[in-house]
Amino acid sequence: MTVCLKTISAAFPDHVVTAQQRADGGQLIILEKDGVQVKRSIPSPQLSAPVRTEWVISAIRRDIEGAAAVSPVVAGRGAPSKTAPVHV
């Protein structure tokens, strides 16, 4: 049994959802939107439990939110200079 790709696709309608079989029997679920990919590896023991599809969807949502929360590096910004005075 595999994680229900149709259910995962329905949960993320604005993403392209694909799955790849892994050598260890698990699956690699890949979601792509606007050139950004989110990947989630599903070990084979979790593939046989129907409840795991909802868990996978929740985990992917967290991954997408985490990827969106990563702020870009601003040029010229870095750690404060150690020689500059710090006022508290």
Side-chain angles (χ1 to χ4, degrees), residues 18-70:
T18 57
Q20 296 176 354
Q21 192 71 26
R22 294 182 355 174
D24 65 357
Q27 284 188 345
L28 179 64
I29 306 294
I30 304 166
L31 285 84
E32 186 171 354
K33 179 181 175 186
D34 299 329
V36 177
Q37 286 188 343
V38 174
K39 298 179 181 181
R40 171 61 66 163
S41 179
I42 313 301
S44 59
Q46 293 182 356
L47 295 175
S48 60
V51 175
R52 293 298 181 185
T53 301
E54 288 302 318
W55 176 88
V56 169
I57 290 170
S58 294
I60 292 171
R61 283 190 178 124
R62 284 191 306 269
D63 292 347
I64 290 172
E65 289 170 6
V70 174

